[in-house]
Amino acid sequence: MILIADSGATKSDWILMYEDEEQMRFQLVGLNPFYVDTIEIVTILSKELTPYIENKKIQQIFFYGAGCSSVFKCMTVEEALIKLFANAEIVVESDLLAAGRALFKDQEGIACILGTGSNSCLFDGNEIAENITSLGYFFGDEGSGAHMGKVFLKDYLLGKIPQEIETAFKKSYNYNRDNILDAIYNLPFPNRFLASFCEFYADHLSNKYIFDMVSSSFREFFVNQIKQYKGYKKLPVSFVGSVAFFFEPLLRQIAAEFEVKIDKVLRSPINALAEYHKKES
């Protein structure tokens, strides 16, 4: 049996395969090693995954995750999986490699992630050939839900958003200055909180303020990420992630401003990863 996982900052998708056929799938919380340690990962999986599968029969695990950007961070996840799946060969890789494999298989292209956070890489058909550093939700993550949330909430708290949007936001969410700042500075996972308002933006995209805010965030992504790759106009560019998926028409519109034609947009790479590992096996 093979277990395949793709983990972002907010959620992780898991597929259990046996003889190239899907047996079960699960959706759990995100397991980013920047925010959860080995013990926390073991606790989460022991509660939400392993009671429903036969651990000892898992022969291989392919875990792709946000935050798995260094050997040390990969080890955080790997050590947790070893504790739970003693008989399995375990491979931990970045979510960027997952995006490259899911979007391009064995072809070259620029693979992008737009979800809670954002990132990109030049995928050469086998591995990541180049990666422009994203810097995370505090300094970067342009185009992501967290980046939009940071811009929107700052304007909201400073009274800079249109009255109709302020009224609609207050009707949808019971947030004031104190609990917004508390969620960002004191509670766990501030990036998830910042990214939690994307449905609101999608519902009010016809409003000029929201349209311009989302458009500007996407433009910053293209300037700081896509344009940094040599020959980016000639390379296929594709996206995974919920933000790219739900704002696809606007994302394509902004891409055209940079003479980029988007090839493919996937909400999640997990199905394509399952197909990839079928062929590999």
Side-chain angles (χ1 to χ4, degrees), residues 86-148:
N87 299 328
E89 173 193 350
I90 296 167
V91 178
V92 179
E93 301 279 8
S94 73
D95 58 343
L96 269 180
L97 185 60
R101 287 176 170 176
L103 293 167
F104 296 111
K105 298 179 182 177
D106 59 356
Q107 302 298 309
E108 183 184 33
I110 297 175
C112 307
I113 299 172
L114 286 183
T116 298
S118 68
N119 212 335
S120 69
C121 72
L122 175 61
F123 182 70
D124 67 6
N126 182 47
E127 61 186 5
I128 296 171
E130 186 179 353
N131 167 230
I132 306 300
T133 302
S134 173
L135 297 179
Y137 77 93
F138 193 87
F139 291 113
D141 271 353
E142 297 87 355
S144 72
H147 184 265
M148 294 176 194

Side-chain angles (χ1 to χ4, degrees), residues 152-188:
F152 177 83
L153 289 177
K154 180 179 179 180
D155 284 352
Y156 174 74
L157 292 173
L158 293 175
K160 292 184 176 181
I161 66 174
Q163 184 61 54
E164 64 272 21
I165 295 299
E166 180 180 348
T167 300
F169 185 75
K170 287 179 177 178
K171 185 177 179 180
S172 298
Y173 303 96
N174 185 30
Y175 286 122
N176 56 37
R177 178 184 181 277
D178 289 342
N179 53 29
I180 287 174
L181 294 178
D182 187 52
I184 293 171
Y185 291 109
N186 297 320
L187 298 181

